[in-house]
Amino acid sequence: MEDGFSSYSSLYDTSSLLQFCNDDSASAASSMEVTDRIASLEQRVQMQEDDIQLLKSALADVVRRLNITEEQQAMLNRKGPTKGDH
């Protein structure tokens, strides 16, 4: 029965796996992937911050225009009906 186990051990040679796990180049590649992912996320956050600033600006413009319209409407209501109104 030992002969059967010894044949399996040659199929599952773990020395190359251990070498890979201990290899600094593998961790360096993983570190590069993490660094790239962080850079990508930072870029995405910056784009979202830019979008938020644009939305704030557009909203401020809408509020300003709405205030102007409300003021004009209030002035028209104070003047009373015009000749064309019945």
Side-chain angles (χ1 to χ4, degrees), residues 43-81:
Q43 182 181 14
R44 194 168 163 192
V45 167
Q46 182 61 49
M47 290 172 57
Q48 289 174 344
E49 287 175 351
D50 293 345
D51 288 346
I52 289 170
Q53 289 301 320
L54 183 64
L55 289 170
K56 283 180 179 180
S57 176
L59 180 59
D61 187 49
V62 167
V63 169
R64 183 182 56 79
R65 290 178 183 206
L66 182 60
N67 285 336
I68 290 170
T69 303
E70 287 176 344
E71 289 171 5
Q72 289 174 346
Q73 188 65 38
M75 284 196 279
L76 288 174
N77 289 341
R78 280 187 224 135
K79 288 183 179 179

PDB file of all heavy atoms in Angstrom, residues 43-81:
ATOM      1  N   GLN A  43      -8.440  57.502  -9.042  1.00  0.00           N
ATOM      2  CA  GLN A  43      -8.849  58.234 -10.234  1.00  0.00           C
ATOM      3  C   GLN A  43     -10.375  58.305 -10.317  1.00  0.00           C
ATOM      4  O   GLN A  43     -10.951  59.343 -10.634  1.00  0.00           O
ATOM      5  CB  GLN A  43      -8.284  57.566 -11.487  1.00  0.00           C
ATOM      6  CG  GLN A  43      -8.627  58.304 -12.763  1.00  0.00           C
ATOM      7  CD  GLN A  43      -8.056  57.597 -13.989  1.00  0.00           C
ATOM      8  OE1 GLN A  43      -7.625  56.451 -13.921  1.00  0.00           O
ATOM      9  NE2 GLN A  43      -8.062  58.287 -15.108  1.00  0.00           N
ATOM     10  N   ARG A  44     -11.025  57.212  -9.992  1.00  0.00           N
ATOM     11  CA  ARG A  44     -12.488  57.170 -10.010  1.00  0.00           C
ATOM     12  C   ARG A  44     -13.084  58.127  -8.977  1.00  0.00           C
ATOM     13  O   ARG A  44     -14.055  58.831  -9.258  1.00  0.00           O
ATOM     14  CB  ARG A  44     -12.927  55.740  -9.734  1.00  0.00           C
ATOM     15  CG  ARG A  44     -14.348  55.457 -10.036  1.00  0.00           C
ATOM     16  CD  ARG A  44     -14.565  53.958  -9.994  1.00  0.00           C
ATOM     17  NE  ARG A  44     -15.981  53.679  -9.889  1.00  0.00           N
ATOM     18  CZ  ARG A  44     -16.489  52.517  -9.606  1.00  0.00           C
ATOM     19  NH1 ARG A  44     -15.693  51.493  -9.389  1.00  0.00           N
ATOM     20  NH2 ARG A  44     -17.768  52.342  -9.529  1.00  0.00           N
ATOM     21  N   VAL A  45     -12.498  58.158  -7.789  1.00  0.00           N
ATOM     22  CA  VAL A  45     -12.956  59.083  -6.748  1.00  0.00           C
ATOM     23  C   VAL A  45     -12.791  60.521  -7.214  1.00  0.00           C
ATOM     24  O   VAL A  45     -13.685  61.355  -7.014  1.00  0.00           O
ATOM     25  CB  VAL A  45     -12.196  58.833  -5.421  1.00  0.00           C
ATOM     26  CG1 VAL A  45     -12.408  59.966  -4.437  1.00  0.00           C
ATOM     27  CG2 VAL A  45     -12.625  57.515  -4.795  1.00  0.00           C
ATOM     28  N   GLN A  46     -11.667  60.829  -7.846  1.00  0.00           N
ATOM     29  CA  GLN A  46     -11.438  62.194  -8.338  1.00  0.00           C
ATOM     30  C   GLN A  46     -12.474  62.576  -9.387  1.00  0.00           C
ATOM     31  O   GLN A  46     -13.003  63.694  -9.373  1.00  0.00           O
ATOM     32  CB  GLN A  46     -10.026  62.322  -8.923  1.00  0.00           C
ATOM     33  CG  GLN A  46      -9.692  63.714  -9.403  1.00  0.00           C
ATOM     34  CD  GLN A  46      -9.749  64.740  -8.283  1.00  0.00           C
ATOM     35  OE1 GLN A  46      -9.182  64.542  -7.228  1.00  0.00           O
ATOM     36  NE2 GLN A  46     -10.441  65.856  -8.517  1.00  0.00           N
ATOM     37  N   MET A  47     -12.798  61.640 -10.276  1.00  0.00           N
ATOM     38  CA  MET A  47     -13.817  61.911 -11.292  1.00  0.00           C
ATOM     39  C   MET A  47     -15.178  62.143 -10.643  1.00  0.00           C
ATOM     40  O   MET A  47     -15.927  63.030 -11.056  1.00  0.00           O
ATOM     41  CB  MET A  47     -13.881  60.753 -12.292  1.00  0.00           C
ATOM     42  CG  MET A  47     -12.676  60.667 -13.197  1.00  0.00           C
ATOM     43  SD  MET A  47     -12.632  59.179 -14.219  1.00  0.00           S
ATOM     44  CE  MET A  47     -14.170  59.293 -15.101  1.00  0.00           C
ATOM     45  N   GLN A  48     -15.487  61.368  -9.612  1.00  0.00           N
ATOM     46  CA  GLN A  48     -16.756  61.544  -8.911  1.00  0.00           C
ATOM     47  C   GLN A  48     -16.799  62.881  -8.179  1.00  0.00           C
ATOM     48  O   GLN A  48     -17.840  63.544  -8.142  1.00  0.00           O
ATOM     49  CB  GLN A  48     -16.997  60.383  -7.950  1.00  0.00           C
ATOM     50  CG  GLN A  48     -17.314  59.092  -8.665  1.00  0.00           C
ATOM     51  CD  GLN A  48     -17.416  57.896  -7.739  1.00  0.00           C
ATOM     52  OE1 GLN A  48     -16.982  57.936  -6.593  1.00  0.00           O
ATOM     53  NE2 GLN A  48     -18.002  56.815  -8.245  1.00  0.00           N
ATOM     54  N   GLU A  49     -15.671  63.293  -7.600  1.00  0.00           N
ATOM     55  CA  GLU A  49     -15.608  64.594  -6.937  1.00  0.00           C
ATOM     56  C   GLU A  49     -15.828  65.719  -7.955  1.00  0.00           C
ATOM     57  O   GLU A  49     -16.521  66.700  -7.662  1.00  0.00           O
ATOM     58  CB  GLU A  49     -14.274  64.771  -6.214  1.00  0.00           C
ATOM     59  CG  GLU A  49     -14.155  63.925  -4.958  1.00  0.00           C
ATOM     60  CD  GLU A  49     -12.785  64.002  -4.311  1.00  0.00           C
ATOM     61  OE1 GLU A  49     -11.846  64.575  -4.907  1.00  0.00           O
ATOM     62  OE2 GLU A  49     -12.636  63.468  -3.196  1.00  0.00           O
ATOM     63  N   ASP A  50     -15.258  65.565  -9.141  1.00  0.00           N
ATOM     64  CA  ASP A  50     -15.460  66.554 -10.204  1.00  0.00           C
ATOM     65  C   ASP A  50     -16.932  66.609 -10.608  1.00  0.00           C
ATOM     66  O   ASP A  50     -17.493  67.691 -10.812  1.00  0.00           O
ATOM     67  CB  ASP A  50     -14.595  66.229 -11.422  1.00  0.00           C
ATOM     68  CG  ASP A  50     -13.100  66.381 -11.147  1.00  0.00           C
ATOM     69  OD1 ASP A  50     -12.726  67.003 -10.128  1.00  0.00           O
ATOM     70  OD2 ASP A  50     -12.303  65.877 -11.966  1.00  0.00           O
ATOM     71  N   ASP A  51     -17.554  65.438 -10.733  1.00  0.00           N
ATOM     72  CA  ASP A  51     -18.984  65.381 -11.072  1.00  0.00           C
ATOM     73  C   ASP A  51     -19.826  66.053  -9.998  1.00  0.00           C
ATOM     74  O   ASP A  51     -20.786  66.770 -10.306  1.00  0.00           O
ATOM     75  CB  ASP A  51     -19.443  63.934 -11.257  1.00  0.00           C
ATOM     76  CG  ASP A  51     -18.934  63.295 -12.536  1.00  0.00           C
ATOM     77  OD1 ASP A  51     -18.446  64.043 -13.423  1.00  0.00           O
ATOM     78  OD2 ASP A  51     -19.018  62.059 -12.652  1.00  0.00           O
ATOM     79  N   ILE A  52     -19.481  65.840  -8.733  1.00  0.00           N
ATOM     80  CA  ILE A  52     -20.226  66.453  -7.632  1.00  0.00           C
ATOM     81  C   ILE A  52     -20.111  67.968  -7.702  1.00  0.00           C
ATOM     82  O   ILE A  52     -21.108  68.685  -7.520  1.00  0.00           O
ATOM     83  CB  ILE A  52     -19.735  65.910  -6.276  1.00  0.00           C
ATOM     84  CG1 ILE A  52     -20.190  64.459  -6.106  1.00  0.00           C
ATOM     85  CG2 ILE A  52     -20.234  66.775  -5.117  1.00  0.00           C
ATOM     86  CD1 ILE A  52     -19.557  63.748  -4.923  1.00  0.00           C
ATOM     87  N   GLN A  53     -18.918  68.479  -7.981  1.00  0.00           N
ATOM     88  CA  GLN A  53     -18.742  69.929  -8.096  1.00  0.00           C
ATOM     89  C   GLN A  53     -19.563  70.491  -9.247  1.00  0.00           C
ATOM     90  O   GLN A  53     -20.174  71.555  -9.130  1.00  0.00           O
ATOM     91  CB  GLN A  53     -17.256  70.287  -8.288  1.00  0.00           C
ATOM     92  CG  GLN A  53     -16.420  70.080  -7.048  1.00  0.00           C
ATOM     93  CD  GLN A  53     -16.921  70.895  -5.875  1.00  0.00           C
ATOM     94  OE1 GLN A  53     -17.332  72.046  -6.004  1.00  0.00           O
ATOM     95  NE2 GLN A  53     -16.906  70.286  -4.698  1.00  0.00           N
ATOM     96  N   LEU A  54     -19.611  69.773 -10.351  1.00  0.00           N
ATOM     97  CA  LEU A  54     -20.412  70.195 -11.499  1.00  0.00           C
ATOM     98  C   LEU A  54     -21.896  70.208 -11.145  1.00  0.00           C
ATOM     99  O   LEU A  54     -22.620  71.153 -11.486  1.00  0.00           O
ATOM    100  CB  LEU A  54     -20.150  69.271 -12.691  1.00  0.00           C
ATOM    101  CG  LEU A  54     -20.869  69.616 -13.992  1.00  0.00           C
ATOM    102  CD1 LEU A  54     -20.396  70.968 -14.515  1.00  0.00           C
ATOM    103  CD2 LEU A  54     -20.613  68.534 -15.022  1.00  0.00           C
ATOM    104  N   LEU A  55     -22.353  69.188 -10.448  1.00  0.00           N
ATOM    105  CA  LEU A  55     -23.753  69.125 -10.030  1.00  0.00           C
ATOM    106  C   LEU A  55     -24.092  70.245  -9.049  1.00  0.00           C
ATOM    107  O   LEU A  55     -25.169  70.841  -9.131  1.00  0.00           O
ATOM    108  CB  LEU A  55     -24.063  67.763  -9.403  1.00  0.00           C
ATOM    109  CG  LEU A  55     -24.112  66.588 -10.373  1.00  0.00           C
ATOM    110  CD1 LEU A  55     -24.174  65.266  -9.605  1.00  0.00           C
ATOM    111  CD2 LEU A  55     -25.279  66.717 -11.323  1.00  0.00           C
ATOM    112  N   LYS A  56     -23.178  70.550  -8.138  1.00  0.00           N
ATOM    113  CA  LYS A  56     -23.401  71.655  -7.196  1.00  0.00           C
ATOM    114  C   LYS A  56     -23.532  72.974  -7.941  1.00  0.00           C
ATOM    115  O   LYS A  56     -24.397  73.791  -7.628  1.00  0.00           O
ATOM    116  CB  LYS A  56     -22.247  71.749  -6.191  1.00  0.00           C
ATOM    117  CG  LYS A  56     -22.275  70.717  -5.105  1.00  0.00           C
ATOM    118  CD  LYS A  56     -21.086  70.928  -4.171  1.00  0.00           C
ATOM    119  CE  LYS A  56     -21.058  69.954  -3.029  1.00  0.00           C
ATOM    120  NZ  LYS A  56     -19.889  70.189  -2.149  1.00  0.00           N
ATOM    121  N   SER A  57     -22.686  73.170  -8.924  1.00  0.00           N
ATOM    122  CA  SER A  57     -22.728  74.390  -9.718  1.00  0.00           C
ATOM    123  C   SER A  57     -24.033  74.496 -10.494  1.00  0.00           C
ATOM    124  O   SER A  57     -24.665  75.562 -10.534  1.00  0.00           O
ATOM    125  CB  SER A  57     -21.533  74.422 -10.678  1.00  0.00           C
ATOM    126  OG  SER A  57     -21.592  75.542 -11.514  1.00  0.00           O
ATOM    127  N   ALA A  58     -24.444  73.395 -11.106  1.00  0.00           N
ATOM    128  CA  ALA A  58     -25.696  73.387 -11.869  1.00  0.00           C
ATOM    129  C   ALA A  58     -26.888  73.627 -10.948  1.00  0.00           C
ATOM    130  O   ALA A  58     -27.814  74.374 -11.293  1.00  0.00           O
ATOM    131  CB  ALA A  58     -25.849  72.053 -12.607  1.00  0.00           C
ATOM    132  N   LEU A  59     -26.868  73.029  -9.767  1.00  0.00           N
ATOM    133  CA  LEU A  59     -27.953  73.225  -8.807  1.00  0.00           C
ATOM    134  C   LEU A  59     -28.009  74.678  -8.337  1.00  0.00           C
ATOM    135  O   LEU A  59     -29.097  75.262  -8.239  1.00  0.00           O
ATOM    136  CB  LEU A  59     -27.782  72.284  -7.617  1.00  0.00           C
ATOM    137  CG  LEU A  59     -28.844  72.368  -6.528  1.00  0.00           C
ATOM    138  CD1 LEU A  59     -30.226  72.067  -7.095  1.00  0.00           C
ATOM    139  CD2 LEU A  59     -28.514  71.420  -5.396  1.00  0.00           C
ATOM    140  N   ALA A  60     -26.864  75.269  -8.082  1.00  0.00           N
ATOM    141  CA  ALA A  60     -26.832  76.677  -7.669  1.00  0.00           C
ATOM    142  C   ALA A  60     -27.398  77.568  -8.770  1.00  0.00           C
ATOM    143  O   ALA A  60     -28.136  78.526  -8.484  1.00  0.00           O
ATOM    144  CB  ALA A  60     -25.398  77.090  -7.329  1.00  0.00           C
ATOM    145  N   ASP A  61     -27.103  77.241 -10.009  1.00  0.00           N
ATOM    146  CA  ASP A  61     -27.638  78.012 -11.134  1.00  0.00           C
ATOM    147  C   ASP A  61     -29.160  77.869 -11.208  1.00  0.00           C
ATOM    148  O   ASP A  61     -29.873  78.850 -11.430  1.00  0.00           O
ATOM    149  CB  ASP A  61     -26.994  77.545 -12.446  1.00  0.00           C
ATOM    150  CG  ASP A  61     -27.384  78.410 -13.619  1.00  0.00           C
ATOM    151  OD1 ASP A  61     -27.301  79.650 -13.503  1.00  0.00           O
ATOM    152  OD2 ASP A  61     -27.779  77.837 -14.664  1.00  0.00           O
ATOM    153  N   VAL A  62     -29.671  76.676 -11.018  1.00  0.00           N
ATOM    154  CA  VAL A  62     -31.116  76.443 -11.047  1.00  0.00           C
ATOM    155  C   VAL A  62     -31.799  77.212  -9.915  1.00  0.00           C
ATOM    156  O   VAL A  62     -32.835  77.857 -10.125  1.00  0.00           O
ATOM    157  CB  VAL A  62     -31.431  74.929 -10.952  1.00  0.00           C
ATOM    158  CG1 VAL A  62     -32.901  74.694 -10.671  1.00  0.00           C
ATOM    159  CG2 VAL A  62     -31.015  74.215 -12.225  1.00  0.00           C
ATOM    160  N   VAL A  63     -31.218  77.185  -8.727  1.00  0.00           N
ATOM    161  CA  VAL A  63     -31.802  77.907  -7.587  1.00  0.00           C
ATOM    162  C   VAL A  63     -31.801  79.405  -7.861  1.00  0.00           C
ATOM    163  O   VAL A  63     -32.786  80.101  -7.580  1.00  0.00           O
ATOM    164  CB  VAL A  63     -31.046  77.558  -6.283  1.00  0.00           C
ATOM    165  CG1 VAL A  63     -31.449  78.486  -5.144  1.00  0.00           C
ATOM    166  CG2 VAL A  63     -31.288  76.107  -5.900  1.00  0.00           C
ATOM    167  N   ARG A  64     -30.717  79.906  -8.424  1.00  0.00           N
ATOM    168  CA  ARG A  64     -30.635  81.336  -8.752  1.00  0.00           C
ATOM    169  C   ARG A  64     -31.719  81.718  -9.763  1.00  0.00           C
ATOM    170  O   ARG A  64     -32.432  82.709  -9.586  1.00  0.00           O
ATOM    171  CB  ARG A  64     -29.251  81.667  -9.321  1.00  0.00           C
ATOM    172  CG  ARG A  64     -29.041  83.140  -9.636  1.00  0.00           C
ATOM    173  CD  ARG A  64     -27.669  83.394 -10.248  1.00  0.00           C
ATOM    174  NE  ARG A  64     -27.408  82.605 -11.443  1.00  0.00           N
ATOM    175  CZ  ARG A  64     -27.884  82.899 -12.650  1.00  0.00           C
ATOM    176  NH1 ARG A  64     -28.650  83.946 -12.836  1.00  0.00           N
ATOM    177  NH2 ARG A  64     -27.582  82.138 -13.692  1.00  0.00           N
ATOM    178  N   ARG A  65     -31.869  80.917 -10.800  1.00  0.00           N
ATOM    179  CA  ARG A  65     -32.895  81.206 -11.809  1.00  0.00           C
ATOM    180  C   ARG A  65     -34.304  81.117 -11.224  1.00  0.00           C
ATOM    181  O   ARG A  65     -35.183  81.908 -11.556  1.00  0.00           O
ATOM    182  CB  ARG A  65     -32.774  80.236 -12.983  1.00  0.00           C
ATOM    183  CG  ARG A  65     -31.549  80.476 -13.828  1.00  0.00           C
ATOM    184  CD  ARG A  65     -31.463  79.467 -14.936  1.00  0.00           C
ATOM    185  NE  ARG A  65     -30.259  79.628 -15.710  1.00  0.00           N
ATOM    186  CZ  ARG A  65     -30.145  79.247 -16.968  1.00  0.00           C
ATOM    187  NH1 ARG A  65     -31.164  78.674 -17.594  1.00  0.00           N
ATOM    188  NH2 ARG A  65     -29.015  79.419 -17.617  1.00  0.00           N
ATOM    189  N   LEU A  66     -34.519  80.152 -10.356  1.00  0.00           N
ATOM    190  CA  LEU A  66     -35.824  80.007  -9.713  1.00  0.00           C
ATOM    191  C   LEU A  66     -36.137  81.227  -8.848  1.00  0.00           C
ATOM    192  O   LEU A  66     -37.262  81.741  -8.864  1.00  0.00           O
ATOM    193  CB  LEU A  66     -35.852  78.729  -8.871  1.00  0.00           C
ATOM    194  CG  LEU A  66     -37.162  78.398  -8.170  1.00  0.00           C
ATOM    195  CD1 LEU A  66     -38.294  78.237  -9.184  1.00  0.00           C
ATOM    196  CD2 LEU A  66     -37.011  77.138  -7.338  1.00  0.00           C
ATOM    197  N   ASN A  67     -35.146  81.716  -8.119  1.00  0.00           N
ATOM    198  CA  ASN A  67     -35.347  82.909  -7.292  1.00  0.00           C
ATOM    199  C   ASN A  67     -35.693  84.117  -8.154  1.00  0.00           C
ATOM    200  O   ASN A  67     -36.583  84.906  -7.798  1.00  0.00           O
ATOM    201  CB  ASN A  67     -34.110  83.201  -6.446  1.00  0.00           C
ATOM    202  CG  ASN A  67     -33.968  82.250  -5.279  1.00  0.00           C
ATOM    203  OD1 ASN A  67     -34.942  81.677  -4.813  1.00  0.00           O
ATOM    204  ND2 ASN A  67     -32.741  82.080  -4.808  1.00  0.00           N
ATOM    205  N   ILE A  68     -35.008  84.263  -9.277  1.00  0.00           N
ATOM    206  CA  ILE A  68     -35.294  85.382 -10.183  1.00  0.00           C
ATOM    207  C   ILE A  68     -36.717  85.281 -10.703  1.00  0.00           C
ATOM    208  O   ILE A  68     -37.469  86.263 -10.729  1.00  0.00           O
ATOM    209  CB  ILE A  68     -34.271  85.417 -11.350  1.00  0.00           C
ATOM    210  CG1 ILE A  68     -32.899  85.830 -10.834  1.00  0.00           C
ATOM    211  CG2 ILE A  68     -34.742  86.354 -12.454  1.00  0.00           C
ATOM    212  CD1 ILE A  68     -31.780  85.657 -11.859  1.00  0.00           C
ATOM    213  N   THR A  69     -37.119  84.091 -11.111  1.00  0.00           N
ATOM    214  CA  THR A  69     -38.475  83.876 -11.631  1.00  0.00           C
ATOM    215  C   THR A  69     -39.520  84.179 -10.555  1.00  0.00           C
ATOM    216  O   THR A  69     -40.532  84.831 -10.836  1.00  0.00           O
ATOM    217  CB  THR A  69     -38.633  82.433 -12.130  1.00  0.00           C
ATOM    218  OG1 THR A  69     -37.650  82.176 -13.123  1.00  0.00           O
ATOM    219  CG2 THR A  69     -40.001  82.189 -12.719  1.00  0.00           C
ATOM    220  N   GLU A  70     -39.281  83.732  -9.332  1.00  0.00           N
ATOM    221  CA  GLU A  70     -40.223  83.990  -8.243  1.00  0.00           C
ATOM    222  C   GLU A  70     -40.312  85.492  -7.942  1.00  0.00           C
ATOM    223  O   GLU A  70     -41.399  86.014  -7.682  1.00  0.00           O
ATOM    224  CB  GLU A  70     -39.823  83.212  -6.993  1.00  0.00           C
ATOM    225  CG  GLU A  70     -40.091  81.727  -7.110  1.00  0.00           C
ATOM    226  CD  GLU A  70     -39.609  80.938  -5.904  1.00  0.00           C
ATOM    227  OE1 GLU A  70     -38.803  81.464  -5.095  1.00  0.00           O
ATOM    228  OE2 GLU A  70     -40.036  79.781  -5.759  1.00  0.00           O
ATOM    229  N   GLU A  71     -39.187  86.187  -7.985  1.00  0.00           N
ATOM    230  CA  GLU A  71     -39.194  87.631  -7.750  1.00  0.00           C
ATOM    231  C   GLU A  71     -39.970  88.350  -8.850  1.00  0.00           C
ATOM    232  O   GLU A  71     -40.746  89.270  -8.572  1.00  0.00           O
ATOM    233  CB  GLU A  71     -37.762  88.170  -7.669  1.00  0.00           C
ATOM    234  CG  GLU A  71     -37.028  87.769  -6.406  1.00  0.00           C
ATOM    235  CD  GLU A  71     -35.545  88.142  -6.454  1.00  0.00           C
ATOM    236  OE1 GLU A  71     -35.111  88.790  -7.435  1.00  0.00           O
ATOM    237  OE2 GLU A  71     -34.833  87.768  -5.510  1.00  0.00           O
ATOM    238  N   GLN A  72     -39.751  87.938 -10.088  1.00  0.00           N
ATOM    239  CA  GLN A  72     -40.484  88.559 -11.198  1.00  0.00           C
ATOM    240  C   GLN A  72     -41.986  88.302 -11.057  1.00  0.00           C
ATOM    241  O   GLN A  72     -42.798  89.197 -11.284  1.00  0.00           O
ATOM    242  CB  GLN A  72     -39.976  88.016 -12.536  1.00  0.00           C
ATOM    243  CG  GLN A  72     -38.600  88.504 -12.903  1.00  0.00           C
ATOM    244  CD  GLN A  72     -38.061  87.820 -14.164  1.00  0.00           C
ATOM    245  OE1 GLN A  72     -38.590  86.813 -14.614  1.00  0.00           O
ATOM    246  NE2 GLN A  72     -37.000  88.396 -14.720  1.00  0.00           N
ATOM    247  N   GLN A  73     -42.350  87.082 -10.676  1.00  0.00           N
ATOM    248  CA  GLN A  73     -43.761  86.743 -10.500  1.00  0.00           C
ATOM    249  C   GLN A  73     -44.368  87.564  -9.362  1.00  0.00           C
ATOM    250  O   GLN A  73     -45.502  88.045  -9.473  1.00  0.00           O
ATOM    251  CB  GLN A  73     -43.910  85.239 -10.216  1.00  0.00           C
ATOM    252  CG  GLN A  73     -45.348  84.775 -10.201  1.00  0.00           C
ATOM    253  CD  GLN A  73     -46.021  84.904 -11.558  1.00  0.00           C
ATOM    254  OE1 GLN A  73     -45.413  84.656 -12.592  1.00  0.00           O
ATOM    255  NE2 GLN A  73     -47.270  85.326 -11.562  1.00  0.00           N
ATOM    256  N   ALA A  74     -43.636  87.755  -8.294  1.00  0.00           N
ATOM    257  CA  ALA A  74     -44.126  88.546  -7.165  1.00  0.00           C
ATOM    258  C   ALA A  74     -44.341  89.999  -7.577  1.00  0.00           C
ATOM    259  O   ALA A  74     -45.328  90.633  -7.181  1.00  0.00           O
ATOM    260  CB  ALA A  74     -43.145  88.454  -6.003  1.00  0.00           C
ATOM    261  N   MET A  75     -43.430  90.547  -8.393  1.00  0.00           N
ATOM    262  CA  MET A  75     -43.582  91.932  -8.858  1.00  0.00           C
ATOM    263  C   MET A  75     -44.796  92.065  -9.771  1.00  0.00           C
ATOM    264  O   MET A  75     -45.540  93.043  -9.680  1.00  0.00           O
ATOM    265  CB  MET A  75     -42.322  92.403  -9.582  1.00  0.00           C
ATOM    266  CG  MET A  75     -41.186  92.744  -8.636  1.00  0.00           C
ATOM    267  SD  MET A  75     -39.890  93.704  -9.413  1.00  0.00           S
ATOM    268  CE  MET A  75     -38.967  92.446 -10.244  1.00  0.00           C
ATOM    269  N   LEU A  76     -45.031  91.092 -10.614  1.00  0.00           N
ATOM    270  CA  LEU A  76     -46.193  91.131 -11.497  1.00  0.00           C
ATOM    271  C   LEU A  76     -47.488  91.057 -10.690  1.00  0.00           C
ATOM    272  O   LEU A  76     -48.478  91.732 -11.018  1.00  0.00           O
ATOM    273  CB  LEU A  76     -46.146  89.989 -12.518  1.00  0.00           C
ATOM    274  CG  LEU A  76     -45.115  90.117 -13.629  1.00  0.00           C
ATOM    275  CD1 LEU A  76     -45.085  88.845 -14.484  1.00  0.00           C
ATOM    276  CD2 LEU A  76     -45.391  91.333 -14.497  1.00  0.00           C
ATOM    277  N   ASN A  77     -47.500  90.247  -9.655  1.00  0.00           N
ATOM    278  CA  ASN A  77     -48.691  90.120  -8.809  1.00  0.00           C
ATOM    279  C   ASN A  77     -48.962  91.413  -8.038  1.00  0.00           C
ATOM    280  O   ASN A  77     -50.115  91.758  -7.794  1.00  0.00           O
ATOM    281  CB  ASN A  77     -48.544  88.954  -7.833  1.00  0.00           C
ATOM    282  CG  ASN A  77     -48.620  87.609  -8.536  1.00  0.00           C
ATOM    283  OD1 ASN A  77     -49.117  87.517  -9.658  1.00  0.00           O
ATOM    284  ND2 ASN A  77     -48.122  86.578  -7.888  1.00  0.00           N
ATOM    285  N   ARG A  78     -47.937  92.167  -7.668  1.00  0.00           N
ATOM    286  CA  ARG A  78     -48.113  93.429  -6.944  1.00  0.00           C
ATOM    287  C   ARG A  78     -48.689  94.513  -7.848  1.00  0.00           C
ATOM    288  O   ARG A  78     -49.403  95.378  -7.406  1.00  0.00           O
ATOM    289  CB  ARG A  78     -46.772  93.908  -6.381  1.00  0.00           C
ATOM    290  CG  ARG A  78     -46.397  93.205  -5.099  1.00  0.00           C
ATOM    291  CD  ARG A  78     -45.169  93.821  -4.474  1.00  0.00           C
ATOM    292  NE  ARG A  78     -44.314  92.718  -4.032  1.00  0.00           N
ATOM    293  CZ  ARG A  78     -43.013  92.634  -4.225  1.00  0.00           C
ATOM    294  NH1 ARG A  78     -42.369  93.599  -4.833  1.00  0.00           N
ATOM    295  NH2 ARG A  78     -42.343  91.609  -3.806  1.00  0.00           N
ATOM    296  N   LYS A  79     -48.313  94.452  -9.115  1.00  0.00           N
ATOM    297  CA  LYS A  79     -48.793  95.468 -10.067  1.00  0.00           C
ATOM    298  C   LYS A  79     -50.280  95.322 -10.338  1.00  0.00           C
ATOM    299  O   LYS A  79     -50.928  96.246 -10.752  1.00  0.00           O
ATOM    300  CB  LYS A  79     -48.025  95.386 -11.397  1.00  0.00           C
ATOM    301  CG  LYS A  79     -46.613  95.883 -11.310  1.00  0.00           C
ATOM    302  CD  LYS A  79     -45.983  95.821 -12.683  1.00  0.00           C
ATOM    303  CE  LYS A  79     -44.551  96.340 -12.645  1.00  0.00           C
ATOM    304  NZ  LYS A  79     -43.934  96.256 -13.958  1.00  0.00           N
ATOM    305  N   GLY A  80     -50.777  94.125 -10.141  1.00  0.00           N
ATOM    306  CA  GLY A  80     -52.188  93.875 -10.417  1.00  0.00           C
ATOM    307  C   GLY A  80     -52.388  93.462 -11.864  1.00  0.00           C
ATOM    308  O   GLY A  80     -51.440  93.333 -12.650  1.00  0.00           O
ATOM    309  N   PRO A  81     -53.631  93.268 -12.244  1.00  0.00           N
ATOM    310  CA  PRO A  81     -53.899  92.821 -13.619  1.00  0.00           C
ATOM    311  C   PRO A  81     -53.561  93.915 -14.622  1.00  0.00           C
ATOM    312  O   PRO A  81     -53.706  95.098 -14.352  1.00  0.00           O
ATOM    313  CB  PRO A  81     -55.386  92.512 -13.603  1.00  0.00           C
ATOM    314  CG  PRO A  81     -55.950  93.177 -12.408  1.00  0.00           C
ATOM    315  CD  PRO A  81     -54.826  93.387 -11.442  1.00  0.00           C
TER     316      PRO A  81
END
